[in-house]
Amino acid sequence: MSETSLTSLGSNSSTIDARWRTYRVAAWLGWKVESNWADPLVFFIYAVMRPISTALVLLLMYVVIAGPQRGGFFDYIYISNALYLIAMQAIANMSWTILEDREHYRTLKYIYTAPISLYWYLIGRATARMLIGIMTCLFLLVVGSLLLGLHLSFGSVQWAWLAVYFPLGMIVLISFGIIIAGLALLVPRNGEFIGEILAGMLLLVCSVYFPPDILPSVLRKLSLAMPVTYWLEGMRRALTGGILQMDNGSGAISPILASYSNATLAMILLVSGILSATFAYFFYQTIERLAKARGMIDKTTGF
Amino acid sequence: MTKVSPLVLFLRTARARAAPRIWGMKREPSWVFLEVMVPIISTTAFVYLYRSLHAPQAYVGFVILGAVISAYWLNVVWAMAMQLHWEKKEGMLQLYVLSPAPLMAVLVGMSYGGIIMASSRAIVTLAAGLLLFQVQLSTAELPMVFLIFAVTLVALYGLGMTLSSLFIHWGREAWHLALAFHEPAFFLTGMNFPLSKLFSSVPGIIAFVSALLPISFGLDAMRQLLLPSNIPGVFSPGTELLILVGLGVMFLVLAYVALQRLEYKARVEATLSLRWQ
């Protein structure tokens, strides 16, 4: 290839069109990597089997204590668990994208040498994972409302708030995913644990299975510092049509979160989204430079 | 060359295959630390779920014991079922087959090393659970608890050996299947809730599958003995022990037969040395 055409390729790669192309192809590649080992039916069963099992575990844990009726607390844990899948896919599993590309398929070095933006490539891969999470989440919500006693109906959904919370949450989640992917670039031997620890921490501090009110002071503060906590609360409200109440009618499940209005939740998410997206961008640029300097782009340690 | 009896060869092979698992823990202590941290974090989440439901304290004990036994289940899935698949990818499996070492001994060694690995995680999880959440366990029936625990491990690792043989034949599917075994097993074995609740809530076929997983009755029996008069078990601990013994024998025989057949099949299909498929 001549020097002129290389220069022109380099300049094209910085345009919006080139970034969009990278994003689109990466999302498609991500979908293929996740799903092409099986036919669609087997993949669907695989994709829903794990979350359905977790939902059934939660259902039995709830029923064994609260009895056969389904109150507000069941809605709380069931919906949170369904939404947690999206967060898991976007954040926790992003470290796997780096590990797979660098160490399992050993393609990261080729992606780096291609005239594309790795940043947009990662966003594309995150999108593919999130789409799988969203589909599974929807499936869980439908199964929950049809078969498991979840109180959810089209009529009660606050669509306007849903349209606000959902995209803001996606920006936060993808930004966190990029930060985690950056960390995975720098971690040589323990990369696989990043996702697992993060998934556990999200479960513990983001009010997924229980409200932040019952946590010890330090964990409660941590929970209230996490944007995902507010995203889950906003989504629960938008999907059920209001603040979820305790089964015995003693008030809101989380008095702390109930004290935030919808507008406040949206504002927190908006600010978090802007801050996390900005931070993720600059953090990733810095990490990438460090990774190159330390020879981590093609390092193989786990496979 | 010195002639070695088959038994000595078997034991030497098992010891040699167990060694990297046991000594590997010393070489990479950060993995041990992280493997302990991960279950403690998720266990804490389930403990808080029960607390927010105002469940009796015994349920916290249920979750802790479930987390302890889950260490062995995860080890069986990732370090037993998946292991021959990993070995094939690393090019080791063909060397095992070329050597005079019996493959069954390799699996036994992997199990022994795996039990040591998983025990480090299980002990720390138990200690952390007891200290952090003030769970009181009854020590009145400890010998029976240890017996049930030992038989559960034999049956569980027998299942792991059987799966290991099956996994030789899977490529990328093996990875996804191992992932797919996680949560369904947590549900089917009642890791975070009483098994009796599962057996009274699900169709017979699901209860049957649950009964085939050694963790189910092993955990149920140990819970009855360590947290007595709290939540009814499916059967008495004695009956569950007998079922576990049966499962142990069945899985060990199955593992032996499956290994012979699948190794032969892999030779015929020339897949023993196929690293990327």
Side-chain angles (χ1 to χ4, degrees), chain A residues 41-55:
Chain A
L41 179 65
V42 174
F43 178 71
F44 174 76
I45 293 169
Y46 162 77
V48 300
M49 193 165 67
R50 297 178 66 195
I52 278 284
S53 299
T54 307

Side-chain angles (χ1 to χ4, degrees), chain B residues 8 19 29 38 42 53-54 60 68 78 103 107 113 118 127 137 146 149 163-164 167 179 191 209 215 226 264 272-273:
Chain B
V8 172
V38 172
S42 52
L53 282 166
H54 305 292
V60 175
V68 168
W78 290 106
L103 263 182
L107 288 178
L137 298 178
F146 282 121
F149 180 65
L163 291 175
S164 186
F167 272 48
L179 274 175
M191 233 169 249
V209 174
I215 290 178
L226 292 169
Y264 177 75
L272 275 175
S273 57

Side-chain angles (χ1 to χ4, degrees), chain A residues 12-262:
Chain A
N12 279 345
S13 68
S14 63
T15 62
I16 292 172
D17 182 48
R19 285 174 182 172
W20 165 246
R21 199 164 55 240
T22 303
Y23 169 80
R24 194 163 41 87
V25 173
W28 178 243
L29 173 70
W31 165 253
K32 285 295 192 188
V33 168
E34 297 298 321
S35 66
N36 77 351
W37 56 274
D39 66 55
L41 179 65
V42 174
F43 178 71
F44 174 76
I45 293 169
Y46 162 77
V48 300
M49 193 165 67
R50 297 178 66 195
I52 278 284
S53 299
T54 307
L56 291 174
V57 168
L58 293 173
L59 172 67
L60 284 181
M61 286 177 78
Y62 175 84
V63 167
V64 83
I65 303 299
Q69 82 286 354
R70 311 281 192 273
F73 201 88
F74 174 71
D75 296 345
Y76 182 100
I77 54 176
Y78 192 94
I79 292 171
S80 305
N81 178 57
L83 294 167
Y84 171 70
L85 289 171
I86 304 174
M88 269 275 292
Q89 288 285 357
I91 303 178
N93 287 346
M94 274 306 280
S95 60
W96 275 110
T97 299
I98 293 291
L99 286 178
E100 279 178 354
D101 281 6
R102 181 175 66 188
E103 306 195 13
H104 185 51
Y105 300 119
R106 298 176 192 183
T107 50
L108 194 63
K109 53 185 176 241
Y110 303 116
I111 294 165
Y112 258 97
T113 51
I116 60 169
S117 156
L118 195 81
Y119 187 77
W120 286 95
Y121 170 80
L122 285 176
I123 293 178
R125 292 292 297 272
T127 305
R129 286 186 183 275
M130 274 199 341
L131 283 176
I132 293 170
I134 290 168
M135 283 191 293
T136 317
C137 171
L138 286 174
F139 179 80
L140 271 189
L141 292 178
V142 171
V143 169
S145 57
L146 291 179
L147 302 174
L148 303 177
L150 177 69
H151 302 103
L152 207 63
S153 66
F154 270 102
S156 61
V157 175
Q158 296 175 336
W159 295 102
W161 282 116
L162 190 66
V164 171
Y165 290 134
F166 187 76
L168 287 176
M170 293 304 102
I171 293 170
V172 171
L173 294 177
I174 289 183
S175 303
F176 278 27
I178 297 290
I179 293 168
I180 297 306
L183 287 176
L185 257 185
L186 274 189
V187 177
R189 298 176 73 79
N190 297 317
E192 64 190 83
F193 288 107
I194 295 176
E196 285 188 48
I197 289 182
L198 206 80
M201 287 306 292
L202 283 177
L203 204 57
L204 185 59
V205 300
C206 291
S207 67
V208 181
Y209 292 163
F210 46 83
D213 310 58
I214 71 156
L215 285 169
S217 172
V218 176
L219 286 178
R220 194 187 315 134
K221 283 176 185 159
L222 190 59
S223 173
L224 295 175
M226 294 290 288
V228 180
T229 303
Y230 301 99
W231 178 64
L232 287 173
E233 174 64 12
M235 291 295 288
R236 280 190 298 261
R237 285 186 198 182
L239 288 169
T240 59
I243 297 169
L244 286 166
Q245 304 293 313
M246 290 296 285
D247 296 2
N248 58 13
S250 60
I253 289 173
S254 169
I256 293 177
L257 292 177
S259 67
Y260 293 92
S261 68
N262 276 325

Side-chain angles (χ1 to χ4, degrees), chain B residues 15 17-26 32 35-36 71-72 75 79-80 108-124 149 153 157:
Chain B
R15 190 182 63 179
R17 188 59 192 84
R21 295 204 158 179
I22 297 167
W23 299 115
M25 292 194 299
K26 258 174 78 177
V32 179
E35 283 198 357
V36 166
Y72 295 98
N75 188 260
M80 286 297 298
V108 170
M110 274 168 21
S111 304
Y112 174 63
I115 288 173
I116 303 287
M117 274 170 78
S119 293
S120 65
R121 177 173 165 166
I123 289 168
V124 178
F149 180 65
L153 287 191
Y157 279 83

